[in-house]
Amino acid sequence: MNTKPRFPSLSLSLLLIISGGASTNLHAKTNTPSAVKVAATHPVTSAETLNSLKMGNDRFISGKVRTDGQSPTDIQKLASGQAPQTIVLSCSDSRVPPESVFDQKLGEMFTVRAAGEALSSQAIGSIEFAVAKLGSKLIVVLGHTSCGAVKAAVDTLDGKSAGSESLDQLVNDIKPRLRPMAPGTIRNQDLQEESLDNAKGVARDLMARSKIISTAVNAGKIKIVVAIYHLNDGKVTFEQ
Ligand SMILES: [Zn+2]
């Protein structure tokens, strides 16, 4: 039997097998009974996961990043399944790769990316998959300063097109999260306030638009936090 999770099939019978032991290295569990399937669980809390991300960002800023977690052995260990502690919804901006800014390695971070963290059924469904099937403890909505998608939303508040039907759908998802302002005007030169308003709104909308996510959050199984990446120094600041 093939026990590999086959995302995005969502087939429960194909989910990986994860032990509930004390070790945080769950990826090493490969020799498991082929017919066994259990719910994914993590031995770490959302607070511990959040702290590990903060420490990872500190390493990223200092340039003292990890060298483990990406060897051929690690690749082989992960072939049987994934158990990422964190789900990140971030902007697609090339300067904000979540795995890099949090110094995370293979199998540790489930990432969903769209310009401006714009929500779509595909983005929400991807997060729902991880919440329901992978046992992650934390969802991070990661915006960033000087976000081009947020700027495009600000610039089209008067209703003009962003350039195409798809681009209009993207900015129209962002616009309701921005506080009332005149089209084209910004509060901060680097759009920090606007990007934070958008990221906070994305977190609220995830709760409002997904029963799977809101149920898991309300049950205390997972926590949503909002964060902003600062392009000038690489620092991620979290909003609690
Ligand atoms: Zn952006």
Side-chain angles (χ1 to χ4, degrees):
M1 174 182 175
N2 178 9
T3 58
K4 294 179 182 178
R6 292 177 56 192
F7 176 77
S9 74
L10 307 190
S11 171
L12 183 60
S13 65
L14 295 175
L15 286 177
L16 70 162
I17 303 152
I18 302 171
S19 87
S23 169
T24 56
N25 182 12
L26 297 178
H27 312 311
K29 192 73 175 179
T30 54
N31 298 320
T32 46
S34 61
V36 176
K37 56 188 178 186
V38 297
T41 57
H42 282 288
V44 293
T45 66
S46 60
E48 290 169 336
T49 301
L50 178 58
N51 192 49
S52 73
L53 297 183
K54 291 178 178 177
M55 291 191 296
N57 183 238
D58 288 342
R59 292 193 302 273
F60 170 71
I61 293 171
S62 68
K64 298 175 181 175
V65 296
R66 291 164 51 193
T67 57
D68 67 313
Q70 52 191 12
S71 69
T73 301
D74 292 310
I75 295 171
Q76 292 169 7
K77 284 178 180 176
L78 286 165
S80 63
Q82 61 170 327
Q85 297 170 3
T86 309
I87 302 164
V88 177
L89 171 60
S90 79
C91 183
S92 301
D93 194 293
S94 62
R95 300 163 292 182
V96 195
E99 293 90 344
S100 295
V101 304
F102 290 121
D103 192 24
Q104 299 292 291
K105 301 303 178 183
L106 296 177
E108 296 178 341
M109 182 166 275
F110 186 97
T111 57
V112 179
R113 302 185 69 174
E117 309 93 78
L119 290 178
S120 62
S121 58
Q122 290 81 1
I124 294 172
S126 297
I127 296 171
E128 288 180 338
F129 166 75
V131 169
K133 307 297 183 185
L134 303 181
S136 305
K137 295 297 185 187
L138 189 69
I139 299 172
V140 179
V141 179
L142 180 64
H144 67 97
T145 56
S146 302
C147 180
V150 171
K151 180 67 163 57
V154 171
D155 288 343
T156 55
L157 283 172
D158 59 359
K160 69 181 178 184
S161 174
S164 73
E165 183 177 339
S166 295
L167 283 169
D168 288 341
Q169 288 179 5
L170 189 145
V171 297
N172 285 340
D173 180 74
I174 296 172
K175 287 177 187 178
R177 303 186 190 112
L178 303 176
R179 283 175 284 170
M181 68 181 90
T185 61
I186 55 176
R187 296 186 171 86
N188 301 106
Q189 195 62 35
D190 65 359
L191 292 164
Q192 182 173 332
E193 281 191 37
E194 289 82 356
S195 294
L196 181 57
D197 286 343
N198 178 52
K200 287 180 176 177
V202 169
R204 287 194 301 270
D205 286 350
L206 283 175
M207 291 289 288
R209 293 167 64 174
S210 170
K211 188 171 179 59
I212 288 176
I213 295 171
S214 61
T215 299
V217 170
N218 291 332
K221 294 179 179 177
I222 196 164
K223 184 177 180 181
I224 303 179
V225 295
V226 171
I228 293 292
Y229 177 83
H230 299 264
L231 290 178
N232 61 330
D233 60 7
K235 181 71 175 176
V236 175
T237 53
F238 287 88
E239 299 287 323
Q240 293 292 343

